[in-house]
Amino acid sequence: MGEKKLVDARGMACPGPIAKLTRAYREAKNGDIIEILATDQGFIPDIKSWVESTGNKLLELGQDGSGVIRAVIEVTAKK
Amino acid sequence: MRALKGKRAVIVGGGSGGIIAANLLAEDGMDVTLVTDNQYHFFQPANLFIAFRGDPAEKYTRNVSELLNPKVRLRVERAKRVDLGNRTIFTESGIKIDYDYLVVAAGARLDYDSLPGLRETREMYGDYYSTPQSAAKVWETVKGLQVGKFVIAVPDLIIKCPPAPHKGTFLAASYFKREGRSVEVELLYPSPHIYTEAELAKTVEEKMRTFGNITFRTSFMIDSIDVEKKTVISMSGEEVKYDAIVSIPFHKGPDIEFEPSNVKDDDSFIKVDKNKLNIIGYDDSYAIGDCTNAPTSKTGVAAHLGAFTVWKRINGENAKYSGRTNCPMITEDEAIFVISDYEHKPVRQRFSKLKRLMEDIFVAMYFPSLRYPKRFEPIFDAYFKATEPEVLGERGW
């Protein structure tokens, strides 16, 4: 079982939550779980697209009543 | 208005934020000391003009002393330690300076060691993030490349001037086209679109396609650069060959010790209230610009507006920084501005020649606007008000 990391990118519109995610991803290894919190609506399509093109796994993606988007990814694509 | 005459302000950093803050506070009659480890101030965006147009570095370099109000005491030395509770800073040589108000504007520290090959490629080909000298090295690289592939590599997105990788791409592509050289410019970018915001990315992508000699890869997470094989390797094992490469370094917070140390985050950025810009837990100490953890772009506009916010707050006003950005993305003859704030993602933009002219006007205004910030404020203020994301709205600009 890998490590679990939390990336809090709430309130970040520019350069956006992906900027914070890529920093956490760099440190991660296969099997690690990264949980990202964001409020930027663009993050929903962006995280889907990023996970698909980088070949990682999106375990959860949802939004709560207050608008906070929560995505959980499993790192699987590191060589 | 508070009685500030004779109160002591210490400013750390000789970039645009530090100089503007020092000059504003000195005009209030405060006893201002500015501590910086570099006697020179560079107009950083011009590194692009040095790197891709061969402009002389001197044109964009000034002594910090000539940009400061003569009443400001300048100390060219590294600030080593800040004791927030005791309102004291210590310089590298051990000099102790007490303050009533502190403004840290120390900028970001560039890190070339977090990625294998980054330091070596900088030595070989230069870069346009660190110094005008290193930018001049890029110009040598560009001039010498007759055929092949010129790569601009972006390993990380928490960087100064987020559109700078794109500016470099456009300016390099224009140069190679004008010279009639068969050189392809490829931008390697970690986010899923070629700019961090999807709508703006479409505009940028369209513009890139019109060049004919620009290619790019998105969601490209760089693992390392193999200098021997002239290859960039991604984290999933994809390889991109290059003939010359310019990489963007990682950015960290400044190398200054703080007491208490928990005012810095894991990357050494200084934790601030994103609107009031005071260092978390202190109401007499502020941090502005690239050295903070404020969730906005690392850009001169944030430093400029941050300096004004802090100056007003020290004067007792309830001023707030909105997170406003205004990052120009230029080609040789057109530009767009990445305009956003904490509440609004970047607004839609159309490339125009007028915006490119506005950028040239700003370059001409830059040094005087540091020396005489109050005189220039009405111009900047009118511009910022007219172009607020709220005002531009869905229609964009």
Side-chain angles (χ1 to χ4, degrees), chain B residues 233-254:
Chain B
I233 302 148
S234 84
M235 288 179 179
S236 53
E238 206 178 330
E239 297 191 355
V240 176
K241 289 228 166 249
Y242 63 80
D243 294 284
I245 186 168
V246 170
S247 314
I248 313 300
F250 289 80
H251 290 47
K252 301 272 172 72

Side-chain angles (χ1 to χ4, degrees), chain B residues 279-385:
Chain B
I279 298 177
I280 293 296
Y282 294 85
D283 60 5
D284 51 8
S285 306
Y286 297 87
I288 57 173
D290 297 345
C291 67
T292 78
N293 76 336
T296 187
S297 298
K298 305 220 167 290
T299 166
V301 173
H304 173 127
L305 293 173
F308 271 92
T309 302
V310 165
W311 168 62
K312 288 176 186 167
R313 293 198 74 84
I314 291 175
N315 271 287
E317 285 179 50
N318 187 24
K320 285 178 179 168
Y321 171 56
S322 66
R324 172 68 193 265
T325 67
N326 196 75
C327 312
M329 183 188 290
I330 60 163
T331 69
E332 275 196 325
D333 59 353
E334 290 182 312
I336 56 175
F337 294 105
V338 183
I339 295 176
S340 67
D341 59 32
Y342 293 136
E343 307 300 326
H344 301 85
K345 62 178 191 170
V347 298
R348 280 167 200 247
Q349 288 277 326
R350 289 169 290 279
F351 275 92
S352 86
K353 290 195 163 54
L354 175 69
K355 288 175 192 163
R356 183 66 182 79
L357 177 67
M358 290 170 82
E359 171 67 359
D360 276 346
I361 293 170
F362 171 68
V363 175
M365 281 165 55
Y366 179 72
F367 290 118
S369 76
L370 298 188
R371 175 64 187 86
Y372 304 103
K374 273 190 203 164
R375 234 179 269 179
F376 282 82
E377 198 202 0
I379 302 172
F380 286 112
D381 206 42
Y383 170 78
F384 287 131
K385 284 202 173 111

Side-chain angles (χ1 to χ4, degrees), chain A residues 6 8-28 30 39-43 45-56 75-79, chain B residues 114-115 155-158 162 190-193 195-198 218-224 233-237 250-252 267 269 274 295-297 325 338 340-346:
Chain A
L6 177 72
D8 188 352
R10 284 175 291 181
M12 191 155 186
C14 187
I18 294 282
K20 280 202 140 179
L21 168 62
T22 53
R23 246 183 204 200
Y25 183 70
R26 183 166 294 284
E27 306 298 321
N30 282 340
T39 45
D40 173 14
Q41 291 304 313
F43 182 62
D46 283 3
I47 186 67
K48 284 185 193 161
S49 161
W50 186 86
V51 166
E52 197 185 313
S53 8
T54 54
N56 291 285
V75 177
T76 55
K78 287 209 163 176
K79 65 175 167 64
Chain B
S114 289
L115 190 93
D156 191 52
L157 288 166
I158 302 186
S191 99
H193 321 282
Y195 196 71
T196 51
E197 198 281 315
T218 52
S219 298
F220 193 90
M221 294 290 304
I222 300 172
D223 174 73
S224 54
I233 302 148
S234 84
M235 288 179 179
S236 53
F250 289 80
H251 290 47
K252 301 272 172 72
D267 292 315
F269 291 114
K274 68 177 189 175
T296 187
S297 298
T325 67
V338 183
S340 67
D341 59 32
Y342 293 136
E343 307 300 326
H344 301 85
K345 62 178 191 170

